[in-house]
Amino acid sequence: KPSSTYSSLRNKVTMPFEVEPGQEYVSPYSDFFSNIEAGRSSLGTTEAMEQKAGQLQEQYLECGIPESELRFRTVSYGRFALPPYVSPGEHRVTVKVALSAIPLRDEEREVLLQIVGSRYNAEKKELQLSSEKFASRIENKRHLVGMIEQIVLNSRKLAQEFSEEDAKKVAA
């Protein structure tokens, strides 16, 4: 029979879970608090695991540029109501990388600057490339990364060939 006394209502509010006489109360949050006591997050990771994740090695491109030095930019527009539904330049991706982030010797840097031409901004000392070859930003981003790698690797190769030619001229 339900009792509507003040104490019974208070018990229902303060102790919403029924505890049978003789049994110990078990909090529904006991797992949460045991994780805290064990030094684990609510995801089950420990502090050591989080530190290890923070110490992951930085990723580098094949040419030696750290991925963190690449700055990508895209532009997003609202969708058109009529065909073609996308704006011109919607898929264009631009990447900027500081020349100091590219691991090159002086001769290789000179060759790189000749290859890229006006894409190098001397005031900001950065290389800027754009691509809208593909109808996907992801593909354009991959294309730009591949272009940077090829430019750097080819500038190294050409500088090597030039130095070999100069050595042959000196020897002759």
Side-chain angles (χ1 to χ4, degrees), residues 14-75:
T14 58
M15 296 183 63
F17 308 102
E18 292 188 26
V19 179
E20 294 184 24
Q23 287 190 342
E24 191 175 315
Y25 172 73
V26 178
S27 170
Y29 304 109
S30 61
D31 291 340
F32 176 74
F33 289 114
S34 64
N35 275 343
I36 291 173
E37 289 171 0
R40 292 188 298 266
S41 71
S42 57
L43 298 174
T45 57
T46 62
E47 189 175 333
M49 293 168 81
E50 291 175 11
Q51 285 178 350
K52 186 177 178 183
Q55 295 172 348
L56 290 176
Q57 295 294 319
E58 183 168 15
Q59 300 293 315
Y60 289 85
L61 302 180
E62 287 181 33
C63 60
I65 300 174
E67 285 184 1
S68 62
E69 293 291 330
L70 301 175
R71 294 174 309 193
F72 292 95
R73 188 184 70 197
T74 61
V75 179

Side-chain angles (χ1 to χ4, degrees), residues 62 140 156:
E62 287 181 33
N140 285 323
R156 286 182 182 149

Side-chain angles (χ1 to χ4, degrees), residues 75-92 132 134-137 140:
V75 179
S76 180
Y77 302 100
R79 296 284 172 230
F80 289 152
L82 300 172
Y85 305 111
V86 292
S87 300
E90 178 94 17
H91 304 293
R92 178 181 295 139
E132 55 182 330
F134 302 98
S136 163
R137 290 181 185 156
N140 285 323

